[in-house]
Amino acid sequence: MRALCFALLATVCLHFSPVMAQETATAPPQSVKPGINKSFLDPDLDVDQWIKRFEVESREVFRARDQIVKQLKLKPGDRIADVGTGTGLFVEPFSLAVGEKGWVFALDIVPKFVERVGKISDILDLKNVTPVLCGQDDVRLPPGSIDAAFICDVYHHFEYPSRSMASLHKAIVPGGQLILIDFERIPGKSREWTLGHVRAGKETFRKEVEDAGFEFVEEVKIPAFEENYFLRFKRK
């Protein structure tokens, strides 16, 4: 089954590559935050270093992971894209939530993260997980292939958000949900790290997602969140 999904993804990527090449030639995309992903694209990236940073109790989304998964309200048979899966923190709980008839596409621009997710899936025998090396402006998923997209502490790393969101809009079925979790960026209140690292606040990110063809549904309150927020959207 996993081989079939890889074959489908390869076919779709080949089908659309001439179009993307033409768009790139006529209108080069402009990064909204040049260099934001430089450390992740380092060929010598140390995965263990990022595991220690991502999978620790001091990180809000790690502490709140069970609450987050519950609020996604995934059903058996759902197909979800974990966009910017990183070290694969949510891969196993998503796999269990969607069941044998569902599917998890674990997307990242970092080859070593994608490789790690593949190893995790094999070790845990998660037969409904496909790791995907996506592009910085394209999630590389077939049209209508997912029911939900999950973007956790990753949207501020989108260098080409309008293009990435356009590709996500195509991938999600009409009425499907998109979950955006990111850092509150409030001058005078947020940490200096957040103000320097995250390019914009919640309202700006919400508008960008809405402009991409998504309808805002609600902001979900997660008790463990102090610096993060959880927004739910529906694909029009």
Side-chain angles (χ1 to χ4, degrees):
M1 187 66 172
R2 186 178 300 174
L4 178 60
C5 285
F6 276 122
L8 175 60
L9 288 167
T11 301
V12 172
C13 289
L14 286 172
H15 178 71
F16 281 102
S17 59
V19 178
M20 293 302 295
Q22 182 179 4
E23 289 180 358
T24 303
T26 58
Q30 298 297 313
S31 170
V32 297
K33 184 81 171 180
I36 184 84
N37 295 315
K38 182 179 179 180
S39 60
F40 290 115
L41 297 176
D42 183 348
D44 297 321
L45 176 138
D46 184 349
V47 176
D48 289 336
Q49 175 188 350
W50 290 102
I51 293 172
K52 293 175 183 177
R53 293 182 61 173
F54 287 163
E55 301 184 19
V56 291
E57 289 295 327
S58 60
R59 188 185 182 205
E60 281 187 0
V61 296
F62 181 81
R63 294 199 308 272
R65 59 194 182 280
D66 292 338
Q67 300 171 39
I68 291 170
V69 174
K70 181 179 179 180
Q71 286 297 334
L72 260 67
K73 302 175 182 178
L74 295 171
K75 306 181 301 297
D78 279 348
R79 302 160 300 167
I80 183 171
D82 183 9
V83 184
T85 189
T87 56
L89 175 62
F90 288 94
V91 169
E92 183 180 11
F94 284 173
S95 172
L96 296 175
V98 301
E100 294 181 359
K101 295 183 178 181
W103 209 268
V104 179
F105 294 97
L107 283 57
D108 213 292
I109 64 172
V110 182
K112 289 189 176 181
F113 285 164
V114 174
E115 181 182 356
R116 170 178 163 76
V117 170
K119 290 179 179 178
I120 291 174
S121 301
D122 289 339
I123 292 171
L124 300 178
D125 197 28
L126 306 178
K127 299 183 184 302
N128 60 349
V129 174
T130 298
V132 179
L133 183 64
C134 63
Q136 293 201 65
D137 63 353
D138 188 345
V139 295
R140 295 178 181 168
L141 290 177
S145 59
I146 55 174
D147 304 290
F150 179 70
I151 311 173
C152 181
D153 284 357
V154 171
Y155 186 81
H156 66 270
H157 275 275
F158 282 15
E159 283 205 51
Y160 312 98
S162 62
R163 289 186 174 229
S164 293
M165 292 306 298
S167 68
L168 260 180
H169 188 269
K170 292 178 183 178
I172 301 175
V173 297
Q177 71 167 332
L178 181 143
I179 301 301
L180 174 64
I181 296 175
D182 219 299
F183 294 97
E184 290 277 14
R185 188 188 188 281
I186 305 173
K189 182 178 179 180
S190 300
R191 290 184 295 149
E192 287 300 316
W193 175 87
T194 304
L195 295 175
H197 182 70
V198 179
R199 66 177 173 84
K202 176 170 60 182
E203 294 306 317
T204 296
F205 286 177
R206 171 179 165 175
K207 184 179 186 304
E208 290 177 359
V209 175
E210 291 176 323
D211 288 347
F214 294 87
E215 176 185 344
F216 176 70
V217 176
E218 62 177 339
E219 179 170 359
V220 178
K221 297 300 181 183
I222 301 294
F225 279 4
E226 295 180 3
E227 294 186 309
N228 286 97
Y229 55 84
F230 180 123
L231 303 181
R232 191 191 314 275
F233 298 85
K234 181 174 68 175
R235 197 270 205 197
K236 295 180 181 178

